[in-house]
Amino acid sequence: MKQAYVPRTTSYGLNPGDELNDLRMSDQVRPLFEHVKKFIRETVDPMQLEYVRHGEGKKDRWSFTQGQLDVLGKAKAKAKEEGLWNFFLPDSETGEGLKNLDYAYIAVELAKNPLASETMNCSAPDTGNMEVLERVGTKEQKEKWLKPLLNGEIRSAYAMTEPNVASSDAKNISTTAKLVGDEWVINGEKYYISGLGDPRCKIMIVMVQTNPDAPRGKQQSQILVPVDTPGVEIIGPMHVFGADHAPRGHMHMRFNNVRVPKENILLGEGRGFEISQVRLGPGRIHHCMRTIGKAEKALDLMVSRGLTREAFGKQIAHLGGNLQIIAQARCEIEAMRLMVLKAAKAMDVLGNKEARVWVSMVKAMVPERTCKIIDQAIQMHGATGISEWTPLADMYADVRHLRFADGPDEVHWMVVGRHELSMA
């Protein structure tokens, strides 16, 4: 006997009255959005050319020349003066207090110039670290570390990933911290610690195992470790598709009996995953927001190349399937944009924990699809696309590595899939 189909009840229905479907930027933030675009166009873009020129021929790759620091400092001072500073912090008294949705629009613009985020003090991994310190740091921790970070005086790093375990499951973290008297003694090995090569990096937030006998979700803690602490050993840079990304880099390091005061623990022992919920929401979706900007830039380059080169009697844009490739790239970008905006809105409306499935959707989808668009732009440029004559090769490597740095695709798909099955 034929059975009637009974549809599942899901949370994805398009309800016209659902606040999640209102993805408009706040009216009060639109002037800031236009100000950011103007500042990038008139200050950051010219500054970047000068910054690159001052860095040519320097002897030490792991340093900044005084000229680079001067032009960057001048641009940062101007950003501060114009009020373009720390606006990544949602609902914050220390930033602009933007909603995640509002910041999503701005982050797309920041991604179009590699120095824009730093110029306005909105760079990773500092953004995530500042969010954590602001939300869970003690008064003393905020004074010592958050304040100089908010002022743009220092940089920071986040040390979680390890070479000897599958650290995409953070419960596997093997770096240990044992309380001996009034100090945590830390031992272990980490790699791909982004930004640690930067000579301005002064503080790390380190994920450690503090109690192997506790339930698995309560074994981990996060501890503040100053970079100059004895026993912190930077072995050298890891490479991403052959690039060391000096002078910031992604470092391989060890903790050799590193001792820090017990007060350096964040929030309390065994609360590492609780802290991650603070960081893994806004701080990590920022990558997806910025990646939309990279996809836009790749499409712009693709179109420009396609209309300025001819082969076999036609513009390249009209050869073979290139017109369809361009059209599909635009469709993909608009679909990604709407998904990222909705994930940001979900965090604003539902909170980071309840919005997790939306965040996982975009963290899996956006880098994967953007990689494809950049790859197609490279192809349309011919051999030039893989050279240093365009930013495409660097853009591809940057976005491709996000599919690990921002958590493996498979983990994000697993979160989404489990949620879908839970509604069966």
Side-chain angles (χ1 to χ4, degrees), residues 97-134:
L98 302 184
K99 296 292 186 182
N100 288 292
L101 178 63
D102 291 330
Y103 184 69
Y105 285 94
I106 293 174
V108 171
E109 299 304 316
L110 295 178
K112 294 179 181 179
N113 185 297
L115 292 176
S117 291
E118 182 174 355
T119 301
M120 293 174 245
N121 213 39
C122 294
S123 292
D126 297 335
T127 48
N129 291 340
M130 284 189 275
E131 275 187 87
V132 167
L133 283 165
E134 189 198 42

Side-chain angles (χ1 to χ4, degrees), residues 61-129:
R61 287 175 47 74
W62 297 96
S63 68
F64 296 91
T65 67
Q66 190 57 50
Q68 286 179 305
L69 294 175
D70 287 344
V71 297
L72 186 57
K74 184 178 178 181
K76 289 168 72 173
K78 187 176 181 184
K80 278 186 184 180
E81 183 182 326
E82 296 187 17
L84 301 177
W85 196 256
N86 290 338
F87 45 69
F88 68 91
L89 284 166
D91 298 320
S92 167
E93 295 180 359
T94 53
E96 283 287 337
L98 302 184
K99 296 292 186 182
N100 288 292
L101 178 63
D102 291 330
Y103 184 69
Y105 285 94
I106 293 174
V108 171
E109 299 304 316
L110 295 178
K112 294 179 181 179
N113 185 297
L115 292 176
S117 291
E118 182 174 355
T119 301
M120 293 174 245
N121 213 39
C122 294
S123 292
D126 297 335
T127 48
N129 291 340

Side-chain angles (χ1 to χ4, degrees), residues 237-290:
M238 302 297 299
H239 288 65
V240 179
F241 291 105
D244 60 11
H245 291 168
R248 294 175 178 87
H250 314 277
M251 310 308 282
H252 178 200
M253 64 171 302
R254 291 194 188 98
F255 295 92
N256 303 304
N257 290 316
V258 172
R259 291 175 173 267
V260 297
K262 67 178 183 180
E263 293 80 13
N264 280 30
I265 198 164
L266 287 165
L267 200 57
E269 186 177 347
R271 303 182 73 176
F273 282 98
E274 189 177 340
I275 296 169
S276 292
Q277 292 307 312
V278 174
R279 184 186 179 87
L280 296 185
R284 298 292 287 275
I285 199 177
H286 292 171
H287 285 311
C288 294
M289 298 169 180
R290 289 187 288 262

Side-chain angles (χ1 to χ4, degrees), residues 51-65:
Y51 176 89
V52 171
R53 180 175 61 81
H54 279 293
E56 291 174 352
K58 64 180 179 181
K59 296 179 181 179
D60 181 6
R61 287 175 47 74
W62 297 96
S63 68
F64 296 91
T65 67

Side-chain angles (χ1 to χ4, degrees), residues 18-88:
D18 192 338
E19 189 180 359
L20 283 180
N21 294 317
D22 184 353
L23 304 179
R24 293 172 294 179
M25 174 180 277
S26 305
D27 289 340
Q28 62 267 31
V29 176
R30 288 178 187 171
L32 174 65
F33 177 66
E34 295 300 328
H35 193 176
V36 168
K37 291 198 294 183
K38 183 173 183 286
F39 186 81
I40 292 173
R41 182 175 63 252
E42 296 181 359
T43 300
V44 182
D45 288 344
M47 179 272 289
Q48 186 197 6
L49 298 175
E50 194 176 355
Y51 176 89
V52 171
R53 180 175 61 81
H54 279 293
E56 291 174 352
K58 64 180 179 181
K59 296 179 181 179
D60 181 6
R61 287 175 47 74
W62 297 96
S63 68
F64 296 91
T65 67
Q66 190 57 50
Q68 286 179 305
L69 294 175
D70 287 344
V71 297
L72 186 57
K74 184 178 178 181
K76 289 168 72 173
K78 187 176 181 184
K80 278 186 184 180
E81 183 182 326
E82 296 187 17
L84 301 177
W85 196 256
N86 290 338
F87 45 69
F88 68 91

Side-chain angles (χ1 to χ4, degrees), residues 159-298:
M160 187 184 85
T161 308
E162 298 183 1
N164 299 317
V165 297
S167 48
S168 57
D169 179 355
K171 295 184 180 71
N172 289 332
I173 292 299
S174 62
T175 295
T176 61
K178 297 180 179 179
L179 192 58
V180 179
D182 291 334
E183 294 180 316
W184 291 103
V185 181
I186 305 171
N187 284 281
E189 185 175 359
K190 304 279 187 181
Y191 78 152
Y192 279 109
I193 309 307
S194 298
L196 186 55
D198 191 322
R200 300 168 298 171
C201 182
K202 304 301 181 185
I203 188 67
M204 293 178 281
I205 296 178
V206 185
M207 178 74 98
V208 294
Q209 183 192 76
T210 48
N211 185 357
D213 299 321
R216 286 200 76 203
K218 299 290 185 180
Q219 295 177 5
Q220 294 76 24
S221 303
Q222 298 195 27
I223 296 178
L224 290 163
V225 179
V227 174
D228 62 359
T229 306
V232 172
E233 177 190 4
I234 298 177
I235 299 168
M238 302 297 299
H239 288 65
V240 179
F241 291 105
D244 60 11
H245 291 168
R248 294 175 178 87
H250 314 277
M251 310 308 282
H252 178 200
M253 64 171 302
R254 291 194 188 98
F255 295 92
N256 303 304
N257 290 316
V258 172
R259 291 175 173 267
V260 297
K262 67 178 183 180
E263 293 80 13
N264 280 30
I265 198 164
L266 287 165
L267 200 57
E269 186 177 347
R271 303 182 73 176
F273 282 98
E274 189 177 340
I275 296 169
S276 292
Q277 292 307 312
V278 174
R279 184 186 179 87
L280 296 185
R284 298 292 287 275
I285 199 177
H286 292 171
H287 285 311
C288 294
M289 298 169 180
R290 289 187 288 262
T291 299
I292 301 295
K294 292 183 173 68
E296 281 278 15
K297 186 168 185 176

Side-chain angles (χ1 to χ4, degrees), residues 292 295-296 299 328-337 373:
I292 301 295
E296 281 278 15
L299 178 56
Q328 287 177 331
R330 170 52 61 198
C331 292
E332 293 278 9
I333 289 170
E334 296 310 314
M336 289 190 292
R337 192 193 315 278
I373 292 170

